[in-house]
Amino acid sequence: MTNAHRMCVAFTVATLSTAAAVIYVLFAARRRKQHKSSPCYLHSEQKPQCAAFKRVVADNSYTPFKHLINDDENASNSHPYEAEITALLKNPLPEIELGTEIADLEMKDSYVWVHTEMQLKELVDVLSEERFFAVDTEQHSLRSFLGFTALVQISTREKDYLVDTIALHDFMGILRPIFANPSICKVFHGADNDIVWLQRDFHIYVVNLFDTSKACEVLSKPQKSLAYLLETYCGVTTNKLLQREDWRQRPLSAEMVHYARTDAHYLLYIANCLINELKQLDNENSSSDDKFHFVLEASRRSNMICLQLFKKEIEASPGESSALSLFSRRVSSHGFPSISNEAQIQNIVRQLCTWRDLMARIHDESLKYVLSDQAIVALASQPSASHSEIYNTIAQADINMEMGVNPLIPSPSPVVCSHLSDIYHLLANKLDNDIYSVILQKCLGQNGSCPLSIFNYALLVNSNLRPTLAYKQPGPKNPKQYSRKASRDLFVKKFSCKSAVYHNCRIYANDGRLLCYCDRRKLEWYLSRDLAKLIDEEPPAIMLLFEPKGRPEDEGNDFYIQSKKNICVGCGEGNHYLRYRIIPSCYRIHFPEHLKSHRSHDIVLLCVDCHEVAHAAAEKYKRKVAVEFGIPLYLQRVVHPGQKTEKQIEERGVSPLQLRTAAMALLRHGPRMPLNRHEELTEIIKRYYGGREISDEDLERALQVGMTPHERRRFEKKRGFSFKHSIGNTATVQKQDNHSSCTAGMSNVDVDTLKVDAHDGSYGNEETSEVDREHLTREDDFENSTLASDITVNGTASATSNRNMITVETTDYNESSDSAINVDDSCLSSRQENGLSEHNSKLSLLGHGPHGKRVVEYLLKEYGEDGIRAFCQRWRQVFVDAVNPRFLPGGWDVKHSGRRDFGKFSVYNPDKRGAAAST
């Protein structure tokens, strides 16, 4: 090879190498540029819901869902067919009859694909002639924020129909009258989700439902899945993995069509078999005195599902609940290695969740499609990152998932690739605090990068109604409003339930009938004592191995055999809630044991706002009760036992609140007080002691009149005071600081667990919460108040009523007198020796325990237990009128009787309590 030829080759190689390097640099720069500012992927990708849907019932905005208005009287937040469904619950059809058994069980090859408006109207004509038909639905949720129904399967005895709800989305309302017709029975399996999906997408409401899953519950089947029923009754197996397929695709594959038809085709036959078994049990049970109608019970439980209403999850801040959940789960288990500032971590996680929530709504994508939880954790661990590092971090985090990468979800997602610069600026803290406005304007504003759609248009229109972000701190325009919000947030954080209240575990009798729903701890109580066997894992269910005393249906307690949701019963808020006692404790504490032991019916969950409304109404009604019965709410005077004066009680007594305040002020600041103020407070204390000179020891004694043991311990710890003359073992009641507000916003917060009446297997029907042992022992000591007053009641309270005043003389207990509340410690042993009931001693000088006690005594004396039940119904009506609850559990009723029987070994059995007292 000549030198010239070698030089030519070398030059060519160098040229090609240089060109390749230039091309690579240009390509890399172009890719980085695309990551920084690429157009929204929706411009090139057309999603089926955006192309086919012209109008939607539920958009992606933060506005509440509006239900169908059936007539002028129905509001958009109530069930439009509540009257029809309630009529079926109260007076169910005499018998569910699906007709003769289906002889030809084989599924033929032919079916009807309904995809035009004309075909849908023809289907309505066919269904209107049927007395029953089977229904199933398939939903798509990965590429949609709220999800949408992609297919509806309907089967009659003759044909199978597959309704293309994507093509017919805007015309599905044609089916509404058929589904709402109470004379046509609709057969579903596990209809809880189907019911709300049909409401959400088409305003279709189901009336007259038979759910084969509920029939399995009544029959105590070992399983209640549709796959189990298909294999048991039809000998058919299905591939449930097909449920996760993309049901948006058209045409559907032959395998998907077969799966969809199978779910509905055999349902009528399965229902017929289950009904025959229910009827057989009815016949076997016909001679029993407490006859249980199995068929009617299955029908009633099925129709209870129809009362469910779809609601959009609306948070106080976009993505707030996701952020709190993610932060608590990840920080507690894995931690964030590179950041030590917890507040900074929480702020990054919250902002990323806010961005993800807004992106999902704008692009109509699910949260997990936009950005995975593990990617958020990874990004929060290294917030200062370049565009390429962000890109690689997300991809690597998704690869490292324990369950592997979902092939249907690209990583990073097209949303992230199109808006990578937003994440960069957010992590670099270059994005304004008001992320909502910035993102909304950038994506959907006048020059927005993302296309408008029927799903995100409402976000732009209602942008002036956007929620206030929790981390936004612009400086309050109104200090009082800001203070109120901060106080509310603190109250929610401190007092709201920290875990789910209702676990919805089930307890069955030994004959397979459902007794109640309860929490896991109660199930464990039975299992640990070999009193029951586990029959289902999730949610847990047990069957008792003995005959329990009483049945909920026998005692009119349908409420206890319904599952309950952990949401506010007033507005549906699910992010926080508190327990609220509908019957104020100042009355309920004095009810006979057998009337107050079964109390979960009158303890509901309320958010802070609904709680405030309910409490205000309760306080107002208490004043009405006080006027009606002539029994004042509060004690107005207390008198020390050492007084020997003959003056009238009302002249020589002193307000218990005044006494406590004066004693505390003198103990803390007496020597430093102005002389006139010192003398004024000293006169109050002297008036309590009958005018004699007082000492520090007297101040300590006076202070105990209005102080709980807990408050004494806390005060002693903080201030160093040691109360040498403590009363001893005292009955504890809740705290109260003024006469006008008995609870200051948390009156009926139930911080204790509900009693488990499990000694004899009597059904408890109560969900409990995880609380400490102290709360278990102080269950009935909580009054409706917020500042504590603790007294030792060694005698019984004598209240001298003088219109608006009750005077209590605190004298030593005397066997010949029942009118003493003792604030001294001298007679504690004498009270115990006399065997006086500790329960009757739970009276609060500062609260209105005596008021409640006298009201209950009057009702029992004049009207007996019927008077107590009527009194409870009045309080329930007050609650309903004030809160207008829309999410009460099924079976909740203002006229709930509260009647129940107790077994031989029950702690509430009157005979057992009497025997215990005598010993």
Side-chain angles (χ1 to χ4, degrees), residues 338-376:
S338 61
I339 302 178
S340 58
N341 189 337
E342 183 175 312
Q344 184 181 357
I345 301 172
Q346 197 166 5
N347 190 52
I348 294 172
V349 171
R350 185 183 292 112
Q351 291 192 43
L352 286 171
C353 288
T354 298
W355 179 87
R356 180 177 68 171
D357 183 86
L358 288 170
M359 287 292 106
R361 294 174 186 269
I362 290 171
H363 299 87
D364 194 36
E365 304 283 7
S366 63
L367 295 178
K368 64 181 180 179
Y369 182 85
V370 175
L371 188 64
S372 63
D373 287 349
Q374 62 272 10
I376 291 179

Side-chain angles (χ1 to χ4, degrees), residues 717-762:
K717 181 178 179 181
K718 286 186 176 182
R719 299 299 182 182
F721 285 99
S722 176
F723 298 109
K724 304 174 184 178
H725 305 277
S726 62
I727 301 178
N729 295 329
T730 59
T732 306
V733 288
Q734 197 75 338
K735 299 187 286 185
Q736 174 184 2
D737 60 355
N738 58 62
H739 293 178
S740 61
S741 174
C742 182
T743 59
M746 55 173 294
S747 63
N748 294 336
V749 178
D750 189 3
V751 297
D752 59 322
T753 60
L754 308 181
K755 291 184 179 178
V756 177
D757 184 11
H759 297 269
D760 65 336
S762 299

Side-chain angles (χ1 to χ4, degrees), residues 90-101:
K90 294 181 178 179
N91 301 299
L93 298 178
E95 200 172 71
I96 296 179
E97 185 62 64
L98 295 186
T100 59
E101 289 192 11

Side-chain angles (χ1 to χ4, degrees), residues 502 565-573 577 582 603-607 610 879 883-889 892:
Y502 301 123
K565 294 184 178 180
N566 291 289
I567 60 175
C568 169
V569 300
C571 63
E573 169 67 52
Y577 41 79
I582 296 175
I603 297 179
V604 296
L605 302 182
L606 291 179
C607 66
C610 293
F879 170 75
V883 180
N884 188 26
R886 307 192 302 275
F887 300 92
L888 282 167
W892 193 94

Side-chain angles (χ1 to χ4, degrees), residues 34 37-50 60 142-145 248 355-356 358-371 408-410 412-420 443 448-451 453 456:
Q34 286 178 343
S37 58
S38 59
C40 181
Y41 69 101
L42 288 181
H43 289 295
S44 58
E45 178 182 342
Q46 188 77 322
K47 298 203 289 186
Q49 62 264 40
C50 296
N60 295 340
L142 178 62
R143 301 297 307 276
S144 173
F145 183 75
R248 302 175 303 162
W355 179 87
R356 180 177 68 171
L358 288 170
M359 287 292 106
R361 294 174 186 269
I362 290 171
H363 299 87
D364 194 36
E365 304 283 7
S366 63
L367 295 178
K368 64 181 180 179
Y369 182 85
V370 175
L371 188 64
L408 298 178
I409 305 178
S413 69
V415 183
V416 170
C417 293
S418 297
H419 301 276
L420 194 60
C443 294
S449 61
C450 307
S453 70
N456 62 30

Side-chain angles (χ1 to χ4, degrees), residues 5-59:
H5 190 261
R6 289 194 185 95
M7 291 180 61
C8 182
V9 172
F11 178 77
T12 303
V13 171
T15 304
L16 292 175
S17 300
T18 304
V22 172
I23 292 173
Y24 176 81
V25 171
L26 292 175
F27 178 79
R30 182 180 179 183
R31 187 180 181 187
R32 285 195 297 271
K33 185 177 180 180
Q34 286 178 343
H35 287 168
K36 291 180 180 180
S37 58
S38 59
C40 181
Y41 69 101
L42 288 181
H43 289 295
S44 58
E45 178 182 342
Q46 188 77 322
K47 298 203 289 186
Q49 62 264 40
C50 296
F53 302 175
K54 299 298 184 293
R55 54 181 179 270
V56 293
V57 178
D59 57 42

